[in-house]
Amino acid sequence: MASVEDCVGAGDLPMLDRWALPEIFLTGVRKMDEQEYLATAGAPKAHAYFTDHQTETIDPLFLLECCRQAGPYGGREFIGIDPDGKFLLHSCSFRLPGLASSAVAPGELPGELPAEITLAVDAGGRPHSRARARKVSYAFDLTIPGGHLGTARMEVRHVSHELYDTLRGRRGAAAARPLAAAAPVAPHLVGRTRASNVVLADVVVDAGRDEARAALRLPTDNSSLFGPSYDHVPAMVLIEAARQLCLGASARISGAAAAERTMLVAADFSFHRFVELDAPVAVRLAADTRADGHGMTAALPELHSYRVEFEQGGEIAAAGRTWTTSVRTAALAGGREMP
């Protein structure tokens, strides 16, 4: 399998839309047929963002980031996507019950993360193709040596630089002045240990109405969340904000475990418009009473679902649904006790 490090040097990092080598996790990509390829990624044993958690499990957003890198990289290498363009995330979803079930063997949990994650990628959904834009649906199947983690899907629009500049108009990198980062909520309340990774401020939980709200916080000096070329709030930051609000509110709203014992295992998100750096963003959460567990309830009996939306300038910029579970409950379902 060809090494990504052989194909991507410091001068070629725009192919992955990342700006720092420590943020590239792909270790290999191999074409299987016209629309399928196999990618591998290495899980870091220590990372300022992806291992900054109170629960000792693989970060689901790390797996989503691996998908975000593997999909477009293979698209550019194998299915003719313009290597000099940009990609915009229109929607994403993931179901990762294996993170918190017996599919992850005990030796691959605390302190012994698997050396390699395998992503089987299908880039078969290509409904639209134009000279300056191409929409691709990437489907992922994720495994580790210990078993199956789950699946993910991303709807991505690949655009030329000139079309991107047209879409952004006057709000290019030079025009956007990020709001000063507000004081973060206490990290332990949202499952973090470092304030630099907290993307919420002013969290308010209304347990009587099963709702919560917060202000989006932008730590733009956090290189794991923001690169120097970003002229808007990345989708991954919005998903992180949704996760943090779920962890911060779940104990009071759903009677779930505290933040240090709750983890995100699934999500569906759609991104409707750019979220700008220079205007406030309200994050709102409401408990979802539907029983739909997308086949995860057998492995994860203590499953809670929430609706999350992001509002900026009076418009809903992004919205989605999340599912969380208790790490203790998940461990017991897999036949393992938690301390």
Side-chain angles (χ1 to χ4, degrees):
M1 181 177 292
S3 170
V4 174
E5 293 179 357
D6 294 335
C7 304
V8 182
D12 300 321
L13 290 181
M15 291 192 68
L16 290 173
D17 288 355
R18 307 297 288 177
W19 71 279
L21 282 170
E23 302 301 328
I24 295 179
F25 304 108
L26 295 186
T27 56
V29 183
R30 181 177 68 206
K31 185 175 182 179
M32 305 302 289
D33 60 28
E34 290 304 310
Q35 65 185 43
E36 297 181 357
Y37 46 97
L38 200 65
T40 54
K45 290 187 179 294
H47 187 276
Y49 169 69
F50 286 116
T51 61
D52 175 42
H53 294 286
Q54 294 171 333
T55 54
E56 296 177 320
T57 56
I58 307 169
D59 187 345
L61 266 62
F62 166 74
L63 297 175
L64 193 62
E65 174 62 20
C66 291
C67 294
R68 200 190 72 87
Q69 294 183 14
Y73 181 86
R76 289 158 170 172
E77 286 289 297
F78 305 133
I79 65 174
I81 298 298
D82 180 4
D84 296 322
K86 289 178 171 286
F87 67 90
L88 306 175
L89 190 59
H90 273 210
S91 66
C92 72
S93 63
F94 59 87
R95 307 280 183 270
L96 300 168
L99 278 181
S101 74
S102 57
V104 179
E108 289 166 346
L109 278 172
E112 299 181 42
L113 294 176
E116 190 169 79
I117 298 161
T118 301
L119 303 91
V121 188
D122 186 334
R126 301 192 294 273
H128 303 293
S129 180
R130 299 200 305 267
R132 296 193 300 163
R134 193 170 183 180
K135 189 175 180 182
V136 182
S137 176
Y138 296 100
F140 307 88
D141 193 77
L142 297 93
T143 60
I144 57 174
H148 188 237
L149 292 175
T151 61
R153 179 175 293 274
M154 290 184 171
E155 297 283 344
V156 175
R157 186 182 181 192
H158 294 269
V159 301
S160 65
H161 279 283
E162 58 191 31
L163 178 56
Y164 182 83
D165 291 341
T166 299
L167 291 172
R168 296 300 289 137
R170 66 178 182 82
R171 285 195 172 275
R177 293 185 176 181
L179 291 176
V185 65
H188 73 277
L189 295 178
V190 292
R192 289 288 183 177
T193 64
R194 299 178 181 179
S196 59
N197 289 322
V198 176
V199 294
L200 295 180
D202 303 324
V203 174
V204 177
V205 179
D206 186 340
R209 301 181 63 178
D210 291 342
E211 295 176 350
R213 65 183 184 274
L216 184 66
R217 176 179 182 267
L218 302 181
T220 53
D221 57 348
N222 184 326
S223 60
S224 296
L225 297 173
F226 293 88
S229 64
Y230 281 121
D231 61 6
H232 63 279
V233 179
M236 295 292 286
V237 172
L238 300 181
I239 299 172
E240 173 64 27
R243 169 173 56 184
Q244 291 187 14
L245 192 53
C246 287
L247 299 188
S250 60
R252 292 181 59 189
I253 289 179
S254 301
E260 67 270 16
R261 291 196 178 275
T262 299
M263 67 180 298
L264 182 70
V265 290
D268 292 326
F269 276 96
S270 296
F271 307 96
H272 309 309
R273 56 185 287 269
F274 289 103
V275 176
E276 307 298 348
L277 296 166
D278 57 355
V281 179
V283 190
R284 292 194 292 264
L285 174 148
D288 193 334
T289 57
R290 295 191 303 174
D292 180 12
H294 287 278
M296 294 183 293
T297 50
L300 306 174
E302 190 177 320
L303 201 62
H304 300 283
S305 180
Y306 307 92
R307 293 281 182 181
V308 184
E309 62 182 18
F310 298 85
E311 180 182 329
Q312 186 176 58
E315 297 183 8
I316 302 302
R321 187 181 177 196
T322 61
W323 287 262
T324 65
T325 192
S326 163
V327 175
R328 178 177 178 82
T329 298
L332 291 173
R336 301 189 304 279
E337 276 285 356
M338 293 285 288

